[in-house]
């Protein structure tokens, strides 16, 4: 029996990291956050995010985020196969949505950045989550959250486009995504809602099914 891979996605400051931490504590799961800034590739990504003067081509930045996921792919699979759950804070959907938003916002005119196929391809082969939760919160609320605006992509106009890109990607993917509206909910309320959703879709039991991959 293996553990399940549970992914929490959403816009910046929607509460993903808070909820991923609580959920991983409850399930005694391995918590993995992307970007993982502690690896070799992750340290370049971190510089890029915190320092707006750092220049990388959009394609390079995109491929680094994917490479960062590949740095941890084996440890994710090994953990699942040992029967432990893995909770992930962002993954390939963030990878595609933020890059696609660069072209949709007029920030990039390169054809690669406007091609979901191109953006998706470096992530093919990565382990697929058993369950994806997408936290939704009104854009005005995001702007009131602590820490907002510190990093490269934290601008309301850009987040609006990222949100529409997430929606576009989720429509294309047959993989089920459970949306969770977190407006007007405090941290414990969101956590309870997440647990009850996961229970209702049977995501909290180990499984005999082999790990699926993105194809
Ligand atoms: P993300 O990982 O999505 O960027 P965080 O979990 O870091 O978001 O949360 C951003 C900020 O909002 C933190 O200061 C956190 O304490 C706060 N926060 C998280 N969830 C809630 C909530 N439900 N209500 C109010 N504040 C919240
Ligand atoms: P964080 O706020 O969750 O640490 O994420 C940092 C930023 O990186 C956030 O604005 C989303 C962005 N991002 C990408 O652009 N591509 C990716 O593949 C990932 C995982 C995050
Ligand atoms: Mg976070």
């Amino acid at each position: 029996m293996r553990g399940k891979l549970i992914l929490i996605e959403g816009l910046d400051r929607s509460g993903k990291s808070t909820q991923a931490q609580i959920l991983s504590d409850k399930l005694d799961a391995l918590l993995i956050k992307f970007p993982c800034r502690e690896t070799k590739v992750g340290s370049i990504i971190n510089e890029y995010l915190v320092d707006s003067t750092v220049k990388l081509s959009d394609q390079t930045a995109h491929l680094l985020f994917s490479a960062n996921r590949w740095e941890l792919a084996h440890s994710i699979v090994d953990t699942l196969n040992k029967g432990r759950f893995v909770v992930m804070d962002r993954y390939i959907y963030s990878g595609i949505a933020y890059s696609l938003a660069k072209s949709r916002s007029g920030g990039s005119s390169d054809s690669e950045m406007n091609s979901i196929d191109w953006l998706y391809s470096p992530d093919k082969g990565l382990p697929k989550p058993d369950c994806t939760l997408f936290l939704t919160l009104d854009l005005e609320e995001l702007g009131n959250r602590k820490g907002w605006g510190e990093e490269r992509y934290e601008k309301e106009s850009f987040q609006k486009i990222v949100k529409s890109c997430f929606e576009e990607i989720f429509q294309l993917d047959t993989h089920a995504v459970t949306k969770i509206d977190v407006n007007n909910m405090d941290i414990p309320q969101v956590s309870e809602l997440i647990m009850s959703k996961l229970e209702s879709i049977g995501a909290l039991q180990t499984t005999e099914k082999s790990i699926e991959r993105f194809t």
Side-chain angles (χ1 to χ4, degrees):
M1 298 292 269
R2 68 162 175 91
K4 297 255 177 75
L5 179 51
I6 299 172
L7 166 62
I8 303 182
E9 280 279 11
L11 299 180
D12 294 68
R13 313 284 165 187
S14 57
K16 298 176 303 300
S17 297
T18 304
Q19 295 302 329
Q21 181 69 59
I22 295 172
L23 182 61
S24 65
D25 289 345
K26 283 187 181 167
L27 303 178
D28 190 26
L30 172 68
L31 172 60
I32 297 208
K33 190 193 169 319
F34 287 115
C36 174
R37 303 182 194 219
E38 287 73 46
T39 63
K40 286 212 169 83
V41 173
S43 73
I44 309 173
I45 293 174
N46 183 55
E47 270 183 61
Y48 175 72
L49 289 171
V50 301
D51 182 352
S52 58
T53 65
V54 170
K55 298 257 183 296
L56 285 178
S57 76
D58 292 331
Q59 292 87 339
T60 306
H62 181 76
L63 294 171
L64 288 175
F65 277 107
S66 176
N68 186 231
R69 289 186 275 280
W70 281 105
E71 286 181 293
L72 295 178
H74 284 299
S75 71
I76 292 172
V77 168
D78 290 348
T79 303
L80 294 171
N81 283 334
K82 283 182 187 141
R84 197 168 169 211
F85 278 59
V86 176
V87 172
M88 266 188 326
D89 175 357
R90 293 195 190 273
Y91 201 37
I92 89 158
Y93 302 103
S94 282
I96 301 171
Y98 283 76
S99 288
L100 187 61
K102 288 182 176 173
S103 65
R104 297 287 157 85
S105 64
S108 172
S109 54
D110 294 340
S111 60
E112 295 82 20
M113 300 307 290
N114 199 32
S115 161
I116 292 179
D117 265 359
W118 189 90
L119 296 171
Y120 174 52
S121 49
D123 285 323
K124 283 184 186 171
L126 283 171
K128 201 166 186 172
D130 293 289
C131 166
T132 300
L133 305 176
F134 183 71
L135 307 186
T136 67
L137 179 63
D138 291 345
L139 291 167
E140 307 81 65
E141 283 301 311
L142 289 177
N144 295 331
R145 290 268 168 101
K146 205 171 141 224
W148 174 261
E150 283 169 4
E151 290 202 339
R152 187 175 283 258
Y153 299 131
E154 291 178 334
K155 296 176 187 75
E156 196 176 313
S157 56
F158 188 72
Q159 294 284 322
K160 195 174 169 187
I161 298 168
V162 173
K163 191 175 189 181
S164 68
C165 292
F166 267 120
E167 277 159 9
E168 190 177 331
I169 297 158
F170 288 145
Q171 269 174 8
L172 286 177
D173 194 349
T174 50
H175 178 65
V177 174
T178 304
K179 284 194 186 161
I180 301 196
D181 181 351
V182 300
N183 278 293
N184 306 312
M185 294 181 84
D186 64 19
I187 293 171
Q189 285 172 324
V190 176
S191 166
E192 271 174 43
L193 183 58
I194 287 179
M195 284 305 278
S196 69
K197 290 264 186 198
L198 290 173
E199 249 159 31
S200 71
I201 57 175
L204 297 177
Q205 284 92 41
T206 53
T207 179
E208 285 179 322
K209 268 180 34 191
S210 53
I211 299 163
E212 282 185 49
R213 304 286 178 154
F214 285 102
T215 52

